[in-house]
Structure formats: structure tokens, C-alpha cells
């Protein structure tokens, strides 16, 4: 199946409205051991609060309560039980919470009340993880099992055991490249998005149903300093659309030229770059039609917003008077209309 290039990217996500990020609370205060730096991953753990990881924190995961107050460090730097060497992704399921460090075959399972359960291995290298509402376990995209040519998705049960390995269809472009995120929709279809903007939908046996390449801002711009094929925009999340039809795909993209962006990053050495001024969030609405995947519309936020679960919650980062950066939790909402 060939990629479908859709040309309606200028249409808004909903007629007569815009998407806005409405901040509600800021996680952390002066007692935090460190700020979260430039980027962070955040998981809402029900009424208990939030987990936060980031490159600045390394293998340490921070626990905040529901009011955003610092509680404790869930993990430590190291190689033992409950210890990590790098910041993980999070995914919550009925069996607890899985922590996935980057480019790892070892995943760490915690109970819902944040007690370390076990570390388990998956074949190959795990790339991305998402909650599976069908099994109430997890979906894990992976590559490199066997002779290194296998790509696909693992179905992991609530106890952390791999119960099925789904191999990618030959025509799939997403699972053979860097998958940014993986999720399952309410109808059982599996969706994958890559950093480069390829979105694909699969049936429950990983048969390819449709492909779409998003026209990310700046993807046609190249600069020798960015390396061969360097692109300034990148997809980082995929979620079910709020109205239940299709998915929303989230991407970061610069609002300045790639040359200006690289110049700014070079000049900001020794101080945090102003990413909120340099980058915006682009949200793409993608649906599945009988003919394949269709790009319904696109909207833009002037801050780096990421979804927080499958609902309307989201988060970004904010500079604080102490020169640090904190996680700001809010909601994505429609203004001047209804979605």
C-alpha cells in the first residue's frame, strides 16, 4: 500500500473554533531536587498524582501528589531492581505502571500504588509503549528480534508477560523506523506514528489498513549543519481524538527557519533556550475512511503542549523565578466554538 499524501492541512480541527491550552496547576516547588529541564514525560496516576521523568533527572522518576507537591523519588540511578540509567516512558494499565527506558529490552513494572513489582524482558529492543484497552495490558513496538530484521508490536499482559508478537506487514513504513508512539482505538485498530510524520493504522493482527504522511512544517527545509536529511519538525505523541473519531497526532515544529533555530541554540549555550518562542505545537486530526487514512485538519498552539492520558488533560513546561523549569498541567479545550 502506498502512502497517501493529503493536501488539506490548513483546515482547522473544528469549524469556527481554535484549540487552546488552559493551565491549571504547576507541579513542584522549591523543595524539588531539580527542575525538569527542556523536555519531560508525565503520567497522571489517578487520584494519587503524577510521575515525571526527564533528561535532567536521568534515571530518577519524581512522584508528585494530586496537588502538585513533591513527594519522593520513585527510582534511583543504577542497574538494580527499581533503578534506571536513563529517563523512561510511562504507560499505565490495569496491572500497574510500566517504565520503559529508551532503546531497552528491559521494562519495569510497578503496582498502581507505586510499589516495585518486577523487571521483565521483551524480545529485541522496545521503542514505544501504550495502554491496550482490549487486553488492559500494554502494546510495545519493538525491532531487532531474531536476526534483527523483525519489526512489530508485542502484546504484554497485566502481569508483564509477552502473550503475542505481531510482526509488521512488509508494506508498513512506520514500524521499520523510529516509532514515536503506539495506541489502540476503541474499535480495536492499532495506530502508530513515527517521528518523521508517518501515521499508520493496523487491524488486530497487524494487517495494514492505511498510511498517511503528514506534511510537517519545515520538512522540506534542509541545512548542512543539521546533517543529511535533517528535519526541524518531529511527531512525539498520538492519542484518540476527543470526539472518538480517529486520532490526534502531536508534533513540535519551529516557527523560525532551521538556520535561525540552529543559530539560537548555539548562542544559548550556558542558558536554557527559549523553546516556547522558537517552537510551536501542531495537532493533526486523522481519521480512517473506506479509502484509507484522511487528514481532517490541523491546528497550532504557541507553547509546547503534550497530551496527558487519553482525555483533555495536557501539560507543558514553564520557567520559574528560580531559573528552573516546572511542569504545568492543564487541559486542551476548544475556544469560540465546540469540537
Amino acid at each position: 500500500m502506498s502512502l497517501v499524501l493529503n493536501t488539506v492541512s490548513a483546515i482547522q480541527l473544528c469549524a469556527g473554533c481554535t484549540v487552546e491550552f488552559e493551565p491549571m496547576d504547576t507541579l513542584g516547588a522549591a523543595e524539588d531536587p531539580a527542575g525538569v529541564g527542556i523536555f519531560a514525560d508525565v503520567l497522571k496516576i489517578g487520584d494519587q498524582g503524577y510521575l515525571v521523568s526527564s533528561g535532567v533527572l536521568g534515571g530518577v522518576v519524581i512522584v508528585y501528589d494530586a496537588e502538585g507537591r513533591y513527594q519522593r523519588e520513585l527510582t534511583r540511578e543504577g542497574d538494580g531492581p527499581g533503578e534506571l540509567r536513563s529517563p523512561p516512558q510511562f504507560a499505565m494499565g490495569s496491572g500497574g505502571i510500566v517504565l520503559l527506558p529508551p532503546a531497552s529490552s528491559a521494562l519495569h513494572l510497578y503496582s498502581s500504588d507505586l510499589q516495585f513489582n518486577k523487571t521483565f524482558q521483551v524480545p529485541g529492543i522496545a521503542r514505544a509503549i501504550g495502554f491496550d484497552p482490549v487486553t488492559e495490558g500494554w502494546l510495545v513496538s519493538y525491532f531487532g528480534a531474531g536476526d534483527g530484521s523483525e519489526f512489530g508490536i508485542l502484546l504484554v499482559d497485566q502481569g508483564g508477560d509477552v502473550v503475542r508478537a505481531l510482526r509488521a506487514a512488509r508494506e508498513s513504513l512506520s514500524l521499520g523506523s523510529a516509532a514515536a508512539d503506539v495506541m489502540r482505538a476503541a474499535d480495536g485498530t492499532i495506530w502508530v506514528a513515527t517521528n518523521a510524520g508517518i501515521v499508520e493504522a493496523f487491524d488486530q493482527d497487524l494487517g495494514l489498513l492505511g498510511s498517511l504522511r503528514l506534511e510537517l512544517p519545515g520538512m522540506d527545509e534542509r541545512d548542512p549543519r543539521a546533517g543529511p536529511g535533517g528535519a526541524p519538525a518531529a511527531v512525539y505523541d498520538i492519542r484518540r481524538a476527543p470526539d472518538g473519531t480517529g486520532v490526534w497526532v502531536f508534533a513540535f515544529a519551529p516557527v523560525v527557519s532551521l538556520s535561525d533555530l540552529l543559530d539560537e541554540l548555539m548562542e544559548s549555550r550556558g542558558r536554557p533556550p527559549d523553546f516556547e518562542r522558537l517552537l510551536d505545537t501542531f495537532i493533526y486530526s486523522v481519521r480512517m475512511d473506506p479509502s484509507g487514512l484522511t487528514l481532517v485538519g490541523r491546528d497550532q498552539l504557541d507553547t509546547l503542549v503534550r497530551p496527558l492520558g487519553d482525555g483533555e488533560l495536557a501539560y507543558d513546561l514553564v520557567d520559574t523565578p528560580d531559573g528552573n523549569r516546572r511542569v504545568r498541567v492543564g487541559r486542551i479545550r476548544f475556544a469560540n466554538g465546540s469540537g
Side-chain angles (χ1 to χ4, degrees):
M1 180 177 294
S2 61
L3 287 175
V4 178
L5 262 297
N6 200 296
T7 58
V8 296
S9 59
I11 299 175
Q12 287 184 308
L13 291 179
C14 59
C17 70
T18 58
V19 175
E20 294 184 350
F21 175 65
E22 180 184 38
M24 296 184 299
D25 297 302
T26 300
L27 306 186
E31 65 267 24
D32 278 2
V36 296
I38 297 173
F39 295 109
D41 277 303
V42 182
L43 176 71
K44 181 171 175 56
I45 47 177
D47 296 334
Q48 298 182 76
Y50 305 87
L51 300 182
V52 175
S53 70
S54 76
V56 168
L57 298 173
V60 176
V61 172
I62 301 296
V63 182
Y64 297 92
D65 67 15
E67 281 72 46
R69 295 174 298 215
Y70 171 81
Q71 295 298 296
R72 63 187 176 94
E73 297 180 359
L74 178 67
T75 61
R76 298 177 298 177
E77 292 271 359
D79 300 307
E83 297 179 341
L84 303 172
R85 286 293 182 185
S86 52
Q89 300 178 42
F90 305 117
M92 191 167 186
S94 298
I97 302 165
V98 171
L99 277 58
L100 168 60
S104 175
S105 60
L107 286 71
H108 309 276
L109 177 61
Y110 284 75
S111 65
S112 298
D113 59 358
L114 302 182
Q115 300 300 310
F116 176 73
N117 187 329
K118 67 176 183 179
T119 296
F120 62 95
Q121 300 284 328
V122 297
I125 302 298
R127 290 184 165 186
I129 186 170
F131 171 63
D132 186 355
V134 173
T135 66
E136 296 189 343
W138 295 272
L139 301 168
V140 179
S141 64
Y142 75 100
F143 77 102
D147 61 1
S149 62
E150 182 178 331
F151 302 89
I153 290 178
L154 304 171
L155 302 185
V156 179
D157 68 15
Q158 299 177 36
D161 295 317
V162 177
V163 295
R164 190 180 178 193
L166 304 175
R167 296 198 63 175
R170 288 185 177 181
E171 61 267 32
S172 169
L173 297 177
S174 64
L175 289 171
S177 58
D181 212 352
V182 57
M183 57 152 283
R184 194 191 301 254
D187 62 0
T189 57
I190 297 172
W191 293 74
V192 174
T194 73
N195 297 119
I198 297 171
V199 181
E200 293 188 324
F202 303 86
D203 63 23
Q204 298 192 48
D205 295 316
L206 218 58
L208 186 62
L209 299 174
S211 296
L212 177 72
R213 186 189 296 274
L214 300 176
E215 296 177 345
L216 300 177
M219 288 294 285
D220 57 350
E221 183 184 1
R222 297 291 181 264
D223 189 295
R225 291 172 293 177
V235 168
Y236 56 88
D237 271 309
I238 182 171
R239 292 291 190 274
R240 285 191 289 270
D243 63 0
T245 59
V247 298
W248 277 13
V249 181
F250 292 75
F252 289 154
V255 292
V256 298
S257 69
L258 181 56
S259 297
D260 290 342
L261 176 62
L262 294 174
D263 289 341
E264 177 76 19
L265 296 179
M266 292 180 66
E267 293 172 1
S268 67
R269 290 176 180 173
R271 61 180 174 82
D274 185 4
F275 277 111
E276 278 68 30
R277 182 177 62 83
L278 299 172
L279 302 174
D280 281 358
T281 300
F282 288 79
I283 306 175
Y284 298 82
S285 177
V286 179
R287 295 179 184 174
M288 185 182 301
D289 293 330
S291 60
L293 301 189
T294 298
L295 180 59
V296 179
R298 186 192 80 176
D299 214 326
Q300 183 175 350
L301 297 167
D302 61 1
T303 185
L304 304 187
V305 175
R306 299 187 64 172
L308 185 53
D310 289 322
E312 63 179 358
L313 282 181
Y315 68 94
D316 69 353
L317 302 180
V318 60
D319 292 316
T320 55
D322 62 2
N324 230 316
R325 293 171 68 84
R326 297 285 186 264
V327 174
R328 185 169 60 173
V329 174
R331 61 170 61 94
I332 296 176
R333 66 183 185 89
F334 292 103
N336 302 320
S338 59

